[in-house]
Amino acid sequence: MSYQVFARKYRPQAFDDLVGQEHVTRTLKNAVEQNRLAHAYLFVGPRGIGKTSTARILAKALNCIHGPTTTPCGVCDSCKEITGGNSLDVLEIDGASNNKVEEVRTLTENVRYAPVRGKYRIYIIDEVHMLTPAAFNALLKTLEEPPPHVKFIFATTEPQKVLPTILSRCQRFDLHRIPANLIAKHLQFIATNEKIKLEPAAAHAIARGADGGLRDAESMLDQLVAFCGETIAEADVLSIFGFTSEQTVGAFSEKILRGETAAALGLLDEQAAAGKEMMKFMSDLIAHLRDLLVFKVKPDALADEAAPGLQSSLGAEAALIETDRLLDLIEQFAAAEGRMKWSPNKKLHFEVAVIKAIQTLGQVTLTEVIENLTALRGDSAPAPIRDRARDRSPAPPTATVTPSVSLSPTPLSAPATAPTADVSTIWPQAVQLVHKRRPLIKNWIDTARFLGTDGRNFLLGFAPDQKTVMESLARPTNRSFLEGLLKELTGTDWTVQLSLDESLPATPPQVIAPAPQPPRPNDSVETFRDDPLIKEALEIFKGEIKSVAT
Ligand SMILES: [Zn+2]
């Protein structure tokens, strides 16, 4: 037997062979079983996912000698002719090349004749949206009053271009992009049959590259077999098609989310130097960010798409960014992708997009400003001011934490690298620097309690009612800003760890007095005026301090 490409050799021949379209096959099988057949069907979906295969299987189901049946035998003359594409009763027309009025007119005139062998004359019109309006109109006449022995099966990638009068006369089925894991599984099935050794990662890389199209995936496998022989590794797939591995795309996205501009650009450069197609890498990045978005909204929704093992790393990455920022990021990269398409220097546009994205991540969003103001308003209510004044007076000059913290029942492991006492003197300085350099988060930082250190972890605790503040501070930009400050002050790398501590009082804790300053006069108006929180509150409420109640 002559060589057949996989897409042809493994073309589905029965409803149950169709991959990833159960929602369509189930309905069609029911219709055939109950003999509730429509005159015209429309199969909609991207290319290479099984629209014409479904049409042919439906044709066999109707015209099989045992038909109509949900399981066409595949061996009767009618089935064999349909499979071979030479049935006189099943006419396949390519809308793209047969869009002239006369041809459609001939077709619709032939409609009158009874079928030769089977029960129905079946017209399969692929890319039906390509027909000219005149051809559509000729077709419409038949569609309005089709003879009982005629069935139309249309397929299209662009349903919006099909005339509404045609659409309204069809039973429409939307075929889906096939999930990557299903494609990979199907490729493994072919590989086993063909005695090819296909690495699971390689199968997944092909499936990802095929973007939901089974036919493309099968053609890629064909090419790989021609090129690599009987053993196919992931590296082969990546190098032959210029794809980037999922791990690399993940690492790249993580660098962007962490704001590591130099590292991200370095990785981009590496990929360009390795001859990777920049457009493909960009679309991979966008697809990855989209996966992250889906993961944030519904973690189990990716079970069919993401390679096993990738799910956990998605989880870690998803924690780095909030949903609205991720949406912004996807929009930015999609716009950049559009610009890249027409530009001779694609890499440059890519780099600019990465830099801009990281810059945007560092900016404060409106949500953050509002959260901040809300927090500030809450803080500057009269009652807490009194409390604050009382709390502050007895505070020793080097006070770092209020007593409640030392009583914290949270088990903290003993500090490993530096004694807590030393590091604790750092915290007030850090707080001071935050006030100076990033006033927007100073109110958040004031609600944090220094809990101690654990190895290289710098532990900050928050009262349970300060959860939103803690989450705001946990944003990558804020966290890396704090880590930068701590490094500046101690010369050591720290990982800032934020946690809720039940033992902390619900009232926002004390603003920590900066270490080097002498004790302040108790409850004086000056103390209040110096308080940055009060300053900001006065700004907001356009007020002035008349007196301080004690
Ligand atoms: Zn048959």
Side-chain angles (χ1 to χ4, degrees):
M1 197 174 139
S2 65
Y3 175 75
Q4 265 192 325
V5 295
F6 293 150
R8 218 186 144 90
K9 188 167 174 185
Y10 291 93
R11 177 160 215 162
Q13 301 298 343
F15 283 125
D16 292 338
D17 295 346
L18 284 162
V19 179
Q21 311 296 353
E22 283 76 17
H23 61 296
V24 172
T25 51
R26 201 184 314 124
T27 318
L28 287 176
K29 277 158 87 173
N30 281 341
V32 171
E33 243 160 37
Q34 299 164 12
N35 206 15
R36 295 164 63 110
L37 298 162
H39 287 300
Y41 291 93
L42 176 66
F43 295 145
V44 175
R47 53 185 291 274
I49 59 168
K51 293 188 299 296
T52 45
S53 295
T54 311
R56 283 190 199 166
I57 294 169
L58 179 60
K60 277 197 278 188
L62 297 178
N63 268 4
C64 174
I65 194 165
H66 309 290
T69 168
T70 54
T71 47
C73 68
V75 293
C76 71
D77 290 340
S78 192
C79 280
K80 277 203 283 198
E81 281 171 9
I82 296 172
T83 305
N86 48 23
S87 166
L88 290 174
D89 293 331
V90 178
L91 292 126
E92 278 191 47
I93 296 151
D94 181 6
S97 51
N98 287 284
N99 57 6
K100 292 194 196 75
V101 200
E102 303 82 63
E103 279 160 9
V104 175
R105 206 161 278 154
T106 328
L107 179 159
T108 51
E109 272 160 18
N110 291 340
V111 151
R112 282 177 286 143
Y113 304 119
V116 180
R117 193 193 294 276
K119 294 182 182 64
Y120 297 98
R121 271 185 93 84
I122 299 164
Y123 294 90
I124 299 177
I125 305 185
D126 199 7
E127 299 299 352
V128 67
H129 65 273
M130 300 285 276
L131 294 178
T132 58
F136 264 132
N137 284 328
L139 187 64
L140 195 57
K141 290 210 179 74
T142 319
L143 264 181
E144 277 166 349
E145 277 175 67
H149 62 267
V150 168
K151 300 281 176 212
F152 284 98
I153 307 175
F154 304 125
T156 184
T157 47
E158 297 180 69
Q160 73 283 359
K161 289 188 184 163
V162 179
L163 286 186
T165 41
I166 302 255
L167 282 179
S168 67
R169 287 179 169 79
C170 297
Q171 211 174 85
R172 171 174 170 162
F173 289 93
D174 287 72
L175 280 77
H176 297 164
R177 274 177 69 249
I178 304 165
N181 285 347
L182 275 184
I183 295 187
K185 201 173 139 203
H186 181 74
L187 292 173
Q188 285 296 359
F189 164 76
I190 296 180
T192 313
N193 246 355
E194 300 286 327
K195 301 191 172 47
I196 297 162
K197 207 171 160 291
L198 179 64
E199 256 185 24
H204 209 269
I206 301 173
R208 253 182 359 113
D211 193 26
L214 192 60
R215 189 169 61 214
D216 282 354
E218 288 168 334
S219 309
M220 282 155 84
L221 186 60
D222 261 320
Q223 277 173 272
L224 284 162
V225 172
F227 204 84
C228 314
E230 283 169 2
T231 308
I232 298 165
E234 187 191 16
D236 298 324
V237 181
L238 301 181
S239 75
I240 289 175
F241 297 109
F243 296 163
T244 311
S245 79
E246 230 162 343
Q247 279 80 3
T248 310
V249 178
F252 184 51
S253 134
E254 197 178 325
K255 288 185 191 347
I256 294 173
L257 296 187
R258 288 192 184 279
E260 298 166 356
T261 315
L265 293 181
L267 202 153
L268 182 60
D269 200 53
E270 263 171 38
Q271 294 299 307
K276 302 288 184 192
E277 175 57 52
M278 285 291 109
M279 283 304 289
K280 174 79 179 113
F281 192 35
M282 176 59 104
S283 72
D284 283 350
L285 174 66
I286 295 173
H288 181 83
L289 294 174
R290 176 247 170 219
D291 282 354
L292 268 186
L293 189 65
V294 175
F295 189 89
K296 282 188 86 75
V297 182
K298 195 166 180 282
D300 57 343
L302 288 173
D304 284 345
E305 288 288 347
L310 199 81
Q311 301 255 7
S312 57
S313 64
L314 271 179
E317 227 185 299
L320 290 174
I321 188 167
E322 315 86 78
T323 310
D324 54 343
R325 283 191 179 249
L326 192 51
L327 270 172
D328 281 352
L329 215 58
I330 294 174
E331 265 173 25
Q332 280 189 41
F333 280 119
E337 191 186 26
R339 287 193 294 275
M340 277 167 75
K341 229 171 244 170
W342 309 109
S343 158
N345 193 345
K346 300 189 191 309
K347 189 179 161 222
L348 177 74
H349 280 277
F350 205 153
E351 285 166 342
V352 171
V354 169
I355 295 169
K356 274 192 184 160
I358 293 176
Q359 273 177 355
T360 327
L361 284 178
Q363 280 165 5
V364 180
T365 64
L366 189 59
T367 323
E368 284 166 5
V369 173
I370 292 169
E371 276 173 10
N372 218 312
L373 285 176
T374 317
L376 178 63
R377 265 165 216 208
D379 271 2
S380 50
I385 289 177
R386 285 174 58 101
D387 290 342
R388 188 174 295 128
R390 229 193 318 268
D391 284 353
R392 175 172 293 149
S393 37
T398 50
T400 56
V401 287
T402 49
S404 68
V405 168
S406 47
L407 299 174
S408 160
T410 319
L412 294 172
S413 5
T417 47
T420 310
D422 287 353
V423 183
S424 67
T425 61
I426 297 302
W427 181 237
Q429 298 177 38
V431 170
Q432 244 192 338
L433 280 177
V434 171
H435 278 241
K436 224 186 284 172
R437 294 188 194 167
R438 200 169 277 192
L440 208 60
I441 65 166
K442 68 185 182 188
N443 300 311
W444 293 345
I445 219 69
D446 290 344
T447 61
R449 298 288 187 90
F450 173 65
L451 297 182
T453 56
D454 175 14
R456 284 294 167 88
N457 294 321
F458 198 92
L459 310 172
L460 296 176
F462 294 82
D465 64 338
Q466 297 296 329
K467 187 159 180 279
T468 36
V469 168
M470 185 191 82
E471 283 169 356
S472 307
L473 273 179
R475 291 196 183 103
T477 43
N478 291 333
R479 201 160 44 193
S480 61
F481 168 72
L482 285 180
E483 284 165 1
L485 275 189
L486 292 173
K487 170 140 196 193
E488 193 182 318
L489 291 169
T490 60
T492 317
D493 285 312
W494 292 100
T495 303
V496 171
Q497 290 218 337
L498 311 174
S499 60
L500 291 180
D501 189 335
E502 295 289 337
S503 68
L504 293 177
T507 326
Q510 184 42 257
V511 178
I512 295 147
Q517 282 182 17
R520 295 173 173 197
N522 292 353
D523 299 335
S524 74
V525 173
E526 279 65 38
T527 316
F528 275 93
R529 257 203 254 292
D530 288 345
D531 188 326
L533 256 178
I534 302 302
K535 275 188 196 162
E536 229 171 297
L538 290 175
E539 275 280 286
I540 287 178
F541 297 114
K542 296 273 176 274
E544 65 179 76
I545 296 174
K546 298 272 189 202
S547 66
V548 176
T550 48

